[in-house]
Amino acid sequence: MTDDTNAMPAQASDPAKLVLEDGTVARGTAIGARGLTGGELCFNTSMTGYQEIMTDPSYYGQLMMMTYPHIGNYGASDIDMEAEEPMVAGFIVRSFTERHSNRQADETLDEFMRRYDLVGIAGVDTRALVRHIRDKGVMNAVISSDELDDDVLLERAQDWPKMDGLELASKVTTDSDYVYCEGSGPRIAVYDFGVKQNILRSFRARGATVRVVPGDTPLDEVLAWDPDGLFFSNGPGDPRAMSEAVDRVGRALDTGLPVFGICLGHQLMSLAQGFDVYKMFVGHRGANHPVKNLDTEKVEVTTQNHGFAVEETSIDEAKARVTHVNLNDDTVEGLRFKTFPGLSLQYHPEASPGPHDSHYHFDTFMEMVAKERNVAVPEQTDESLHAV
């Protein structure tokens, strides 16, 4: 068993350990709630937006490690929630700020984590751990401030369910359908596999009427509402384990309605078209990933959060064309479909805080809806995406 990290100076607190399934042990101090938690260990390279990351349903069941060293300095606020509660299984940082400086904050990050019973660890060399994962590949781990025996924790990490083949969208979808907003523009039906609030705010800012439905809602029920467009949201887990959702998406593509998918929605649309999706060695998570728009030759700095990707060699050119590629590894980041009016993105154009280079995709979809359905689209409002 190895110890790849050294404990960083911290205020006196309860000891905690992070143990990876390959035997790597990192010692630090407990933050948030006390206890034991586990999941797939992933990392995010964003400098800000930790609360948006913690509450993003796409991270459900994962241990989130921040590479930026100082976390918690602006506290926590209800206005920065992407879901009703944190979705990550645990939180890992290098230097944790006990006192914040932000007049909009409602509480400290530690108070926020304790309120939602979220277990975390601070005082570990997160960048060394990132290098380790980057070399060895994504793996499971556990955080504990309760049980501290290395052998026991290693066994727990090795026994934790793998993300590969795991269906999780049903854990985060809404319990019942609801109208999020009513506008003077097109009617957009949103299939919720773990939809972020900023996606819904993005549609609201463009004057849409938005109805959100659970991910397992029969298509006929959605079509009875007479939507002008269909949206398939982001979400957690392995899309290949969602056979019923893939079938439902496939039937939705046959309706002729304009369709837009982001992240998990992008993967489900691809699977419905017969393309392949694979588990990535590490995954993309951060607010600084360069993506090239092949139509305009422009590069967008994007926010990303995904551990699966569409296999480019499996894409049938008669059905879709690649519109965006990741400049770090050439993975597929966007598709435009040829047999129905639709587009999909692997990254997150709605993300905030972070780069806003990709907000235009919502405009592109709304223009598609206006053309295909002969409906007017109001001018985008100046309201903040964070406005409740």
Side-chain angles (χ1 to χ4, degrees):
M1 188 166 300
T2 61
D3 187 346
D4 278 0
T5 66
N6 297 316
M8 305 300 296
Q11 294 183 353
S13 183
D14 296 329
K17 284 185 178 180
L18 169 69
V19 178
L20 282 60
E21 66 175 279
D22 69 348
T24 300
V25 177
R27 297 172 176 83
T29 56
I31 56 175
R34 303 306 190 254
L36 185 148
T37 188
E40 183 180 85
L41 178 61
C42 59
F43 61 89
N44 194 296
T45 57
S46 301
M47 294 178 65
T48 61
Y50 52 76
Q51 193 177 344
E52 178 178 351
I53 293 165
M54 297 166 78
T55 58
D56 181 349
S58 295
Y59 284 123
Y60 181 86
Q62 293 178 305
L63 301 179
M64 173 48 56
M65 178 166 57
M66 304 298 295
T67 62
Y68 188 69
H70 303 295
I71 300 296
N73 51 309
Y74 55 85
S77 172
D78 287 343
I79 204 171
D80 290 328
M81 300 287 281
E82 289 295 333
E84 293 183 353
E85 61 184 0
M87 292 291 167
V88 296
F91 200 53
I92 304 156
V93 303
R94 177 166 178 152
S95 178
F96 191 71
T97 303
E98 298 289 343
R99 296 177 61 186
H100 64 274
S101 177
N102 178 10
R103 64 180 183 177
Q104 292 183 323
D106 299 314
E107 58 191 335
T108 68
L109 184 55
D110 188 65
E111 290 169 339
F112 172 81
M113 293 177 63
R114 288 176 181 269
R115 180 156 62 93
Y116 288 106
D117 201 30
L118 180 60
V119 174
I121 183 173
V124 299
D125 189 339
T126 55
R127 294 188 178 184
L129 286 167
V130 167
R131 290 195 297 270
H132 182 71
I133 295 173
R134 191 175 59 198
D135 292 339
K136 302 297 183 180
V138 67
M139 65 184 75
N140 284 350
V142 295
I143 303 170
S144 180
S145 51
D146 185 6
E147 172 63 60
L148 296 178
D149 182 270
D150 290 356
D151 293 331
V152 172
L153 294 178
L154 175 60
E155 183 177 359
R156 292 294 301 273
Q158 293 174 340
D159 290 342
W160 213 274
K162 298 288 187 181
M163 188 66 70
D164 200 349
L166 200 60
E167 188 281 314
L168 293 174
S170 60
K171 305 290 186 181
V172 297
T173 187
T174 180
D175 293 330
S176 59
D177 66 295
Y178 61 94
V179 175
Y180 175 79
C181 62
E182 294 186 359
S184 58
R187 295 154 63 89
I188 307 299
V190 173
Y191 266 91
D192 176 13
F193 299 114
V195 67
K196 290 177 61 180
Q197 289 298 301
N198 261 1
I199 288 176
L200 302 180
R201 295 179 185 121
S202 296
F203 282 123
R204 181 182 62 191
R206 289 161 175 83
T209 293
V210 177
R211 188 180 191 91
V212 183
V213 302
D216 62 356
T217 303
L219 181 61
D220 290 344
E221 292 184 16
V222 175
L223 296 180
W225 183 59
D226 192 26
D228 295 305
L230 301 173
F231 177 80
F232 296 103
S233 83
N234 61 294
D238 188 340
R240 300 168 301 183
M242 302 172 64
S243 57
E244 291 184 3
V246 172
D247 179 68
R248 189 173 299 112
V249 171
R251 287 185 285 112
L253 304 184
D254 291 336
T255 64
L257 287 171
V259 182
F260 185 17
I262 289 177
C263 201
L264 179 62
H266 158 80
Q267 297 160 7
L268 292 174
M269 290 172 66
S270 296
L271 288 170
Q273 289 283 281
F275 311 156
D276 296 332
V277 171
Y278 65 95
K279 183 80 166 65
M280 303 177 75
F281 186 67
V282 174
H284 295 166
R285 299 174 180 92
N288 48 11
H289 289 251
V291 167
K292 185 176 182 178
N293 183 325
L294 299 181
D295 291 336
T296 66
E297 297 294 314
K298 292 182 179 180
V299 175
E300 305 167 24
V301 179
T302 69
T303 296
Q304 307 214 357
N305 168 21
H306 58 97
F308 295 84
V310 176
E311 176 57 62
E312 183 175 9
T313 59
S314 73
I315 297 173
D316 185 344
E317 294 182 358
K319 295 181 178 180
R321 64 181 177 87
V322 177
T323 58
H324 297 75
V325 295
N326 191 298
L327 293 182
N328 288 331
D329 59 8
D330 295 324
T331 51
V332 175
E333 294 285 0
L335 293 172
R336 192 69 177 259
F337 296 89
K338 298 180 179 181
T339 60
F340 63 91
L343 69 151
S344 64
L345 295 173
Q346 183 60 80
Y347 55 101
H348 287 265
E350 82 291 341
S352 180
H356 297 168
D357 301 21
S358 305
H359 282 184
Y360 70 90
H361 290 293
F362 288 97
D363 299 321
T364 299
F365 178 61
M366 295 296 279
E367 291 166 3
M368 180 184 295
V369 171
K371 176 183 177 182
E372 297 292 332
R373 299 287 288 177
N374 194 27
V375 294
V377 175
E379 291 187 9
Q380 181 178 344
T381 67
D382 292 331
E383 71 169 319
S384 167
L385 287 179
H386 281 297
V388 179

